[in-house]
Amino acid sequence: MADVAARAGVSRALVSIVFRGEAGASSATRERILRVADELGYRPDSAARLLARGHSRTLGVLLTLHQPFDADLAEAVHPEAEKRGYDILLATNAPGRSERKAVEALLSHRCEALILLGPGSGSTYLDELGRRTVTVSVGRRITGAHVDNVHTAEAKGVRQAMDHLLGLGHRRIVHVDGGRDPGSAERRRAYRAAMRRHGLGDEIRVVPGRQTEEAGAAAARSMLAERRLPTAVLASNDRSALGLMMAFARAGLDVPGDVSVVGYDDSHLSHLMPVGLTTVRQDPARLAEHAVRFAVERLEGEGVAPREAVLDPKLVVRASTGLPRDDTGR
């Protein structure tokens, strides 16, 4: 502002008045100041102005690199935040960088609230974090912590997927587990419950894994090494399902002719595969809407207790599932 004032031949205080849009400068002076500012490439620092008033109006969003559904969520958070007059700042989980470091980076940049996409930290730390600043967990339900929770009804989504496979006639259905990744425990429990509910307790099989393509491919290789191949596989997420399908294809198997595959998330990956993936859809736009609303309402309201939003999933049937093969094994 001092540079603009010097070139325009006015005081710094008058420049400040013009930039704030307040009365006190003639039309000619206002136009001259704005023209000089444009010539100098000056832009008001809105972040500094907000901080001077005690607010940054910035929401920090933590996501995991290479997780397509996190990218879909982060993309959906942007317009929701803008509608409420907030900006967002992204930080990423990545190999060699702890989640806590990413969180502290967001806080150091004066983010007023945190939206954590599938946080992996323990509930004790998240409770402490939620008492330091407004915190929303998306995609993972944190019990006993002072944070808001926004997630899909995981068990309902798995039941839809299992009912679809069982309705096609599948009985040898394997679940590729997601380990400790978000939603994995609930999906694993729901798979076991569905198998028992249909009298298939003896057929229950959970293959260890994670929510990555590499883990899906490794699970497929372990199945291929056995005498009896399942007729269907429920993967913990779309990335795992993609790894499964790639490994099966390399082994000369047809999806769904030899084995049906179901994913979870309906991330943009599910639309890019050579064989369209049957998957359980989580709605990133609605998840983002609830997450931003929870964060803003707690920022702008006194004594708002942590809340929970549980959204309904929807099975999307595509080409990766079909009738089971009619043989009795490999």
Side-chain angles (χ1 to χ4, degrees), residues 175-238:
H175 176 53
V176 177
D177 187 26
R180 299 179 63 183
D181 291 334
S184 297
E186 293 88 347
R187 296 171 197 179
R188 181 171 57 248
R189 284 194 295 267
Y191 159 77
R192 292 180 182 275
M195 292 291 279
R196 293 192 187 100
R197 189 171 66 252
H198 287 271
L200 298 171
D202 292 342
E203 294 285 353
I204 291 174
R205 185 181 171 206
V206 177
V207 177
R210 288 202 64 191
Q211 294 181 356
T212 66
E213 295 88 347
E214 293 81 7
R221 288 192 293 270
S222 72
M223 295 179 218
L224 289 165
E226 298 175 358
R227 182 185 62 82
R228 193 172 183 235
L229 189 72
T231 63
V233 181
L234 172 65
S236 185
N237 75 337
D238 291 350

Side-chain angles (χ1 to χ4, degrees), residues 2-330:
D3 293 339
V4 173
R7 180 174 291 193
V10 298
S11 69
R12 188 180 183 282
L14 193 57
V15 172
S16 179
I17 286 172
V18 169
F19 286 157
R20 292 200 304 270
E22 298 176 358
S26 67
S27 297
T29 300
R30 183 181 301 275
E31 289 177 8
R32 184 167 77 255
I33 289 171
L34 294 176
R35 185 179 67 254
V36 168
D38 185 59
E39 291 170 355
L40 292 174
Y42 175 86
R43 295 292 181 273
D45 189 339
S46 58
R49 195 161 59 222
L50 286 167
L51 283 174
R53 298 174 188 171
H55 298 284
S56 70
R57 296 193 73 82
T58 302
L59 308 177
V61 178
L62 176 69
L63 70 155
T64 301
L65 284 176
H66 308 304
Q67 192 59 270
F69 190 66
D70 279 13
D72 295 345
L73 278 170
E75 186 175 39
V77 166
H78 267 287
E80 287 300 324
E82 287 179 357
K83 279 195 296 188
R84 294 175 178 270
Y86 283 77
D87 199 357
I88 73 166
L89 186 64
L90 300 177
T92 58
N93 277 322
R97 190 189 196 203
S98 71
E99 188 167 280
R100 296 192 184 201
K101 276 188 177 181
V103 164
E104 292 303 324
L106 290 171
L107 293 176
S108 71
H109 283 84
R110 305 293 184 90
C111 292
E112 291 190 81
L114 300 175
I115 296 176
L116 311 180
L117 308 184
S121 299
S123 58
T124 300
Y125 167 71
L126 292 172
D127 180 56
E128 294 171 356
L129 181 62
R131 294 180 188 280
R132 286 173 60 195
T133 189
V134 172
T135 304
V136 183
S137 171
V138 182
R140 177 189 165 201
R141 184 172 185 264
I142 312 297
T143 57
H146 194 76
V147 300
D148 290 317
N149 290 280
V150 180
H151 60 95
T152 300
E154 306 283 0
K156 186 180 288 188
V158 170
R159 282 197 300 271
Q160 291 177 13
M162 292 296 289
D163 287 348
H164 169 65
L165 291 173
L166 290 158
L168 290 170
H170 292 277
R171 296 295 179 267
R172 297 200 308 277
I173 306 171
V174 168
H175 176 53
V176 177
D177 187 26
R180 299 179 63 183
D181 291 334
S184 297
E186 293 88 347
R187 296 171 197 179
R188 181 171 57 248
R189 284 194 295 267
Y191 159 77
R192 292 180 182 275
M195 292 291 279
R196 293 192 187 100
R197 189 171 66 252
H198 287 271
L200 298 171
D202 292 342
E203 294 285 353
I204 291 174
R205 185 181 171 206
V206 177
V207 177
R210 288 202 64 191
Q211 294 181 356
T212 66
E213 295 88 347
E214 293 81 7
R221 288 192 293 270
S222 72
M223 295 179 218
L224 289 165
E226 298 175 358
R227 182 185 62 82
R228 193 172 183 235
L229 189 72
T231 63
V233 181
L234 172 65
S236 185
N237 75 337
D238 291 350
R239 290 182 67 192
S240 175
L242 175 60
L244 283 158
M245 292 169 69
M246 291 172 62
F248 286 146
R250 291 191 189 107
L253 296 185
D254 177 68
V255 175
D258 293 308
V259 59
S260 289
V261 177
V262 179
Y264 203 108
D265 286 340
D266 195 30
S267 66
H268 63 268
L269 270 182
S270 63
H271 308 274
L272 301 176
M273 300 180 188
V275 177
L277 179 65
T278 295
T279 183
V280 178
R281 175 170 172 74
Q282 300 192 80
D283 189 335
R286 290 190 62 218
L287 290 166
E289 177 187 351
H290 283 277
V292 172
R293 178 168 62 82
F294 279 0
V296 171
E297 287 179 356
R298 284 186 63 195
L299 284 172
E300 299 181 353
E302 291 295 330
V304 179
R307 292 165 292 176
E308 181 175 20
V310 184
L311 307 184
D312 284 334
K314 181 181 179 182
L315 181 69
V316 181
V317 178
R318 297 192 181 95
S320 68
T321 51
L323 298 174
R325 62 182 185 276
D326 58 7
D327 61 353
T328 57
R330 287 187 66 210

